Amino acid sequence: MNATSNLVFRKSYSRKDKTHAIYLRLTINRKSKYFSTEVWCKEDEWDKKNKRLYKSVKNSDIYNIRLSDKETKAKTILNNFSRFNKPPTFIEFTTQFNSESSKDNFYNLASKYIGHNKQLSRESRRTYQSQLTKLNHFQNIKGLTINEVNNLDFIQEYKNYMIENLDNKINTIAKSLGFIKAVINYGIRQELIQSNVFSKVKIKKELGKREYLTSPELKVLEEYYSSKSINNSQKNILNYYLFCCYTGLRFMDVKDLCWRDIIDNKTINYQTGKIENWKTIEIKIHKTQIEVTIPLNKKAIEFLPERNNMKETDNIFRVISSQKTNIYLRKALDKANIKKSTSMSFHTSRHTFATYALVCGMPIKFISKLLGHTDIQTTQIYTKVNKDSLINSVRDFNSYLEMTLS
């Protein structure tokens, strides 16, 4: 029994934009049946010889990949009929051809990556899920194959969409593209595809301004925290914000911090030879899953609440949502007359800790350990000379000039 398949441009029906449908035609014993490829184009956009859209057509690469996938799927089904000595039938072909292969679908692959990747934190899972939603707003991602997303034209169109429609900045775009890159790399590890389009696409980032509190600002904020004019909501968030200014903890880590994570230690002071009591935080970092030990300095202990009758598993701080925390933080800064950008967030506590640890002369390798960084290059972002360091240097220079030239 003879069976063939090929792509055809059908003129029998056109849409208002004068585009016609491309169908896959299956012929069995001179009888034909047509299957939609979900690709439409105008007559002058169709290359009859190669049965593809001309390259000059917008998104032609994506559509041609879709046509190629349909052709390959049809040929595979027909080859399997021959291989197993089964006569091809329209019913069985239709069942197989219209069935969706989850392994070829980008949305299913991304969902599997988000749901099954044990290395991802809860925060990362939520972030990636929002990236998938954002991508779906651009185009119905549930109907696209991996190869259709793993395509230069698709990536460029998505970049244009983020710039023109969403007014996204460089680093926001980089995060969105980084998500797609991670999913495609996962597809490669699953042996679903051979290469990643991002080997040809460079994801650009720019070094953002890392805001932190200067020492006078930190002092003013602590004074406002201890004042009678502060309301309970602001006092609560400043409690764990200031604690993180002296420990470098991320939001999710201080949110999950329990009393069992505070360890009492006895150690010898190598300068005095005396035995000292030190408290340490010993946790697994939420984002990187790296185990860290953070000795608590005196200022951090000042903002550690009284334990009273709380259990080992009780949370130390009453941490509210990230969004509300940032709202109350900005209000507290405003009340304390500390002028910062409107985008000032809780994460600045971490920048504050890292910046002043460096200013105090703490070796960068120790700062990296305290922050739980997987790569010391991440910590080196904070080695950029800040304004306070420049002023201190010139102040020392003034003293030297006064001493030697007066």
Side-chain angles (χ1 to χ4, degrees):
M1 188 177 287
N2 295 325
T4 59
S5 65
N6 64 312
L7 296 171
V8 294
F9 179 87
R10 299 193 73 180
K11 300 181 183 180
S12 56
Y13 173 77
S14 66
R15 297 192 293 194
K16 290 182 180 180
D17 59 1
K18 296 183 180 180
T19 57
H20 300 266
I22 309 299
Y23 280 86
L24 183 129
R25 181 173 61 197
L26 172 68
T27 303
I28 301 177
N29 287 343
R30 299 183 182 180
K31 291 182 180 181
S32 297
K33 183 173 181 178
Y34 294 87
F35 298 85
S36 172
T37 64
E38 298 178 4
V39 175
W40 294 71
C41 69
K42 296 178 181 178
E43 188 170 2
D44 60 359
E45 295 174 337
W46 180 246
D47 183 347
K48 296 178 183 178
K49 181 180 178 181
N50 296 308
K51 298 187 182 299
R52 293 291 186 272
L53 275 68
Y54 286 112
K55 291 185 178 180
S56 58
V57 179
K58 184 180 179 180
N59 293 332
S60 61
D61 281 0
I62 296 174
Y63 297 136
N64 286 336
I65 287 174
R66 185 175 298 176
L67 294 174
S68 179
D69 286 346
K70 297 292 184 182
E71 275 189 320
T72 301
K73 189 171 186 178
K75 288 177 181 178
T76 300
I77 295 170
L78 294 179
N79 286 338
N80 285 337
F81 279 129
S82 176
R83 179 183 172 192
F84 296 108
N85 294 318
K86 292 178 62 177
T89 64
F90 286 117
I91 293 176
E92 191 161 354
F93 181 93
T94 301
T95 300
Q96 293 187 42
F97 188 78
N98 289 336
S99 66
E100 287 294 330
S101 175
S102 61
K103 71 177 184 179
D104 294 330
N105 183 275
F106 181 84
Y107 179 85
N108 291 334
L109 178 66
S111 298
K112 183 178 178 183
Y113 172 68
I114 295 170
H116 296 171
N117 191 340
K118 294 182 179 180
Q119 294 180 340
L120 291 179
S121 64
R122 283 178 294 167
E123 186 179 7
S124 295
R125 290 182 201 280
R126 284 195 296 270
T127 300
Y128 281 175
Q129 192 62 55
S130 67
Q131 289 292 347
L132 193 57
T133 302
K134 175 182 176 180
L135 189 57
N136 197 52
H137 286 160
F138 163 63
Q139 195 166 138
N140 181 15
I141 203 69
K142 294 183 179 181
L144 295 179
T145 65
I146 302 168
N147 284 331
E148 287 173 329
V149 176
N150 189 32
N151 176 274
L152 279 173
D153 279 359
F154 180 91
I155 298 302
Q156 188 58 55
E157 286 293 322
Y158 188 40
K159 285 172 67 177
N160 293 342
Y161 166 78
M162 288 188 282
I163 294 169
E164 297 168 6
N165 295 65
L166 305 181
D167 196 28
N168 285 168
K169 304 305 180 186
I170 290 178
N171 288 349
T172 303
I173 293 171
K175 286 181 181 179
S176 296
L177 296 181
F179 164 68
I180 298 176
K181 181 179 179 180
V183 173
I184 293 173
N185 278 333
Y186 177 67
I188 291 173
R189 293 195 297 273
Q190 297 294 311
E191 299 182 349
L192 299 177
I193 46 177
Q194 299 298 319
S195 61
N196 193 326
V197 66
F198 287 96
S199 63
K200 303 174 185 176
V201 178
K202 185 176 181 181
I203 300 178
K204 295 182 180 179
K205 292 182 181 180
E206 62 180 9
L207 188 62
K209 183 180 178 182
R210 292 180 175 262
E211 284 197 288
Y212 63 94
L213 295 182
T214 63
S215 49
E217 289 171 338
L218 204 52
K219 184 177 180 181
V220 168
L221 193 61
E222 288 185 27
E223 289 173 353
Y224 177 63
Y225 171 80
S226 302
S227 70
K228 294 181 179 179
S229 60
I230 189 172
N231 63 42
N232 291 334
S233 296
Q234 291 178 18
K235 190 175 183 70
N236 178 52
I237 67 100
L238 283 187
N239 184 201
Y240 54 89
Y241 176 78
L242 289 168
F243 180 79
C244 290
C245 283
Y246 293 111
T247 58
L249 286 178
R250 289 185 177 90
F251 178 80
M252 289 304 298
D253 293 318
V254 74
K255 183 178 182 180
D256 292 342
L257 194 66
C258 299
W259 285 106
R260 66 184 174 193
D261 301 322
I262 306 293
I263 310 299
D264 289 313
N265 305 269
K266 290 188 181 297
T267 184
I268 295 178
N269 185 321
Y270 72 93
Q271 293 176 328
T272 64
K274 294 182 179 180
I275 295 177
E276 295 180 344
N277 295 318
W278 275 82
K279 291 183 181 296
T280 55
I281 294 173
E282 299 182 20
I283 59 171
K284 184 178 285 188
I285 293 293
H286 194 272
K287 182 177 180 180
T288 60
Q289 295 299 298
I290 291 177
E291 292 184 357
V292 297
T293 297
I294 304 173
L296 294 183
N297 54 61
K298 292 180 181 179
K299 292 294 293 183
I301 291 175
E302 284 182 23
F303 294 98
L304 196 64
E306 292 292 332
R307 181 170 176 176
N308 298 324
N309 297 321
M310 300 186 76
K311 300 176 183 177
E312 287 278 294
T313 54
D314 286 340
N315 291 109
I316 295 177
F317 298 96
R318 186 170 60 84
V319 178
I320 59 178
S321 71
S322 175
Q323 184 179 15
K324 288 186 177 180
T325 293
N326 288 329
I327 290 172
Y328 286 128
L329 173 61
R330 288 191 279 267
K331 286 182 178 179
L333 292 169
D334 187 57
K335 287 287 186 180
N337 202 27
I338 297 173
K339 304 302 179 184
K340 291 294 183 182
S341 72
T342 55
S343 60
M344 182 81 169
S345 70
F346 184 88
H347 203 65
T348 54
S349 62
R350 188 168 168 85
H351 299 330
T352 300
F353 172 79
T355 299
Y356 284 100
L358 279 167
V359 169
C360 292
M362 187 182 295
I364 193 169
K365 65 178 182 179
F366 292 145
I367 298 173
S368 185
K369 288 289 185 183
L370 292 172
L371 293 175
H373 286 160
T374 56
D375 189 341
I376 201 168
Q377 288 184 343
T378 306
T379 318
Q380 287 174 337
I381 293 172
Y382 296 102
T383 61
K384 181 180 178 182
V385 177
N386 60 68
K387 192 186 295 184
D388 283 352
S389 297
L390 289 172
I391 292 173
N392 289 336
S393 297
V394 175
R395 184 186 292 112
D396 292 341
F397 185 56
N398 281 341
S399 300
Y400 175 78
L401 293 177
E402 290 173 1
M403 182 175 62
T404 57
L405 299 180
S406 60

